[in-house]
Amino acid sequence: MKNSVPEIGSPARTKAILTRYKLVAKKSLGQNFLSDLNILRNIVAAGDVTENDNVIEIGPGIGALTEQIAKRARKVVAFEIDENLLPVLDETLMDYDNIKVINQDILKANLPAVIKDEFEPGHPVKIVANLPYYITTPILMGVLQSGVDFDEIVVMMQSEVADRLVAKPGEKAYGSLSVVMQYRAHVEVAFDVPRTAFIPQPNVDSAIIRLSPREPLPVKPYEDQALFRFVKGCFAHRRKTLWNNLQGIFGKQPEVRERIETVLNDVEISRQLRPERLTLINFIELTNAFHNEGLM
Ligand code: SAM
């Protein structure tokens, strides 16, 4: 990078790039460009990215975060769906030889294949991204179910979704997303980001979430997908009791109700509880107990 040119994520350079390419941020693609160099550097630091790491980025935009990752990482592979941004990225990132941009919808990407083709084996693989907010949950679910063991995932999302990811039992934001994510990973908020850090400004504040490998659980569900379906079913009506939700899942016939009651007695969970009181371990034990009872 030539010294005279400010880095991409500075407000002045961001505005200059948008003007030069006559870019109008597409709301439909969640395009809000982060233009605060301290925040951009702190995101990369939150992922503890070093020259030993291979990094996947989702949605490079005009390359502000990509540049900061490339300065520290071994290699960056960035998925960008908007082909209008490809010539922009070609120019803004021209001084870096460790970046590959792939023009593809991240939801259709075959991550294991890309990692095999693009990264030398034997190095940590991380994800660092300012996510397109309209698809935060499908992206995270896809990444966590891709079969790739990421060493670290550091992603920005709207605060409200971040709150749901880290919520604990009994908290207002606790729901199926909290349980499923916390089953897959250790989830924590790294830091908050105000809406003023973006061009254009979004209508919401944001947070950086760090997902790292979680410690092994004392119990495992008989099948991951069964656990996820069960958790979703239990939260279908979060104001209702567990007993009501379970009848919604399994049925209301007297014989079924009797079997539900047997399971609840066996695992010693009160039917009057609301689903938001149940811990991840409770959900796993219930999934296995209903499976053993032949209800799932
Ligand atoms: N990384 C840039 C930054 O921090 O300033 C831009 C982040 S912006 C919030 C989200 C980016 O994701 C946009 O560049 C948008 O075009 C891209 N995007 C949206 N949907 C996508 C998808 N399905 N697959 C890949 N990229 C996508």
Side-chain angles (χ1 to χ4, degrees):
M1 170 64 45
K2 294 167 204 80
N3 287 335
S4 55
V5 184
E7 290 170 284
I8 303 166
S10 66
R13 178 97 187 275
T14 300
K15 283 179 198 150
I17 293 168
L18 297 179
T19 307
R20 175 168 153 72
Y21 287 93
K22 298 188 176 60
L23 288 175
V24 180
K26 293 183 182 132
K27 263 195 178 170
S28 61
L29 290 179
Q31 289 179 355
N32 298 96
F33 303 111
L34 187 50
S35 52
D36 182 314
L37 285 171
N38 276 332
I39 295 176
L40 287 158
R41 291 185 193 124
N42 287 340
I43 295 174
V44 184
D48 197 18
V49 173
T50 73
E51 59 198 13
N52 196 30
D53 298 334
N54 289 318
V55 179
I56 300 228
E57 188 193 356
I58 298 153
I62 59 172
L65 184 57
T66 325
E67 176 175 53
Q68 298 303 325
I69 303 168
K71 280 173 184 272
R72 290 160 189 80
R74 184 180 180 80
K75 182 169 179 185
V76 192
V77 170
F79 289 90
E80 176 55 64
I81 198 172
D82 184 356
E83 61 181 2
N84 289 335
L85 293 175
L86 302 186
V88 184
L89 289 165
D90 271 350
E91 191 186 315
T92 57
L93 300 173
M94 67 192 277
D95 291 330
Y96 298 88
D97 60 6
N98 59 344
I99 298 173
K100 165 133 182 192
V101 176
I102 299 179
N103 180 208
Q104 196 185 12
D105 179 348
I106 185 65
L107 298 178
K108 298 194 175 130
N110 179 343
L111 286 178
V114 171
I115 286 167
K116 189 162 170 281
D117 291 348
E118 298 294 339
F119 293 149
E120 220 177 87
H123 298 274
V125 180
K126 299 182 175 178
I127 295 184
V128 178
N130 171 12
L131 295 176
Y133 293 178
Y134 72 107
I135 42 171
T136 299
T137 309
I139 290 177
L140 288 178
M141 294 302 252
V143 160
L144 293 172
Q145 288 176 18
S146 64
V148 180
D149 285 327
F150 291 100
D151 289 81
E152 204 85 54
I153 300 176
V154 173
V155 281
M156 175 140 64
M157 62 192 66
Q158 69 184 84
S159 301
E160 192 212 328
V161 180
D163 289 347
R164 289 165 58 203
L165 256 58
V166 298
K168 297 283 174 232
E171 292 178 4
K172 204 168 150 224
Y174 186 66
S176 56
L177 190 63
S178 331
V179 181
V180 171
M181 287 295 164
Q182 292 168 30
Y183 171 67
R184 292 286 192 194
H186 174 73
V187 193
E188 61 192 336
V189 175
F191 59 95
D192 297 316
V193 178
R195 61 191 78 185
T196 48
F198 300 84
I199 299 175
Q201 275 189 35
N203 296 326
V204 291
D205 291 314
S206 300
I208 308 292
I209 284 280
R210 181 167 41 224
L211 298 120
S212 36
R214 63 154 303 141
E215 69 276 14
L217 285 155
V219 271
K220 288 211 155 223
Y222 77 94
E223 190 190 273
D224 287 359
Q225 292 308 322
L227 169 70
F228 302 160
R229 278 195 308 276
F230 178 69
V231 172
K232 277 213 176 102
C234 287
F235 280 104
H237 304 283
R238 51 181 303 136
R239 297 275 113 236
K240 292 192 177 170
T241 59
L242 180 63
W243 176 242
N244 272 308
N245 278 298
L246 290 172
Q247 289 174 78
I249 300 173
F250 300 120
K252 290 184 180 0
Q253 305 88 317
E255 172 259 344
V256 173
R257 287 155 66 122
E258 211 169 284
R259 288 162 74 193
I260 296 175
E261 197 137 34
T262 308
V263 167
L264 290 178
N265 287 337
D266 285 353
V267 295
E268 295 178 12
I269 289 178
S270 159
R271 48 187 258 177
Q272 295 311 326
L273 280 184
R274 292 198 196 285
E276 73 227 32
R277 292 276 155 201
L278 297 183
T279 64
L280 168 59
I281 301 296
N282 291 151
F283 281 113
I284 297 175
E285 285 175 348
L286 282 170
T287 302
N288 290 343
F290 282 116
H291 178 60
N292 292 339
E293 182 61 33
L295 282 168
M296 56 191 290

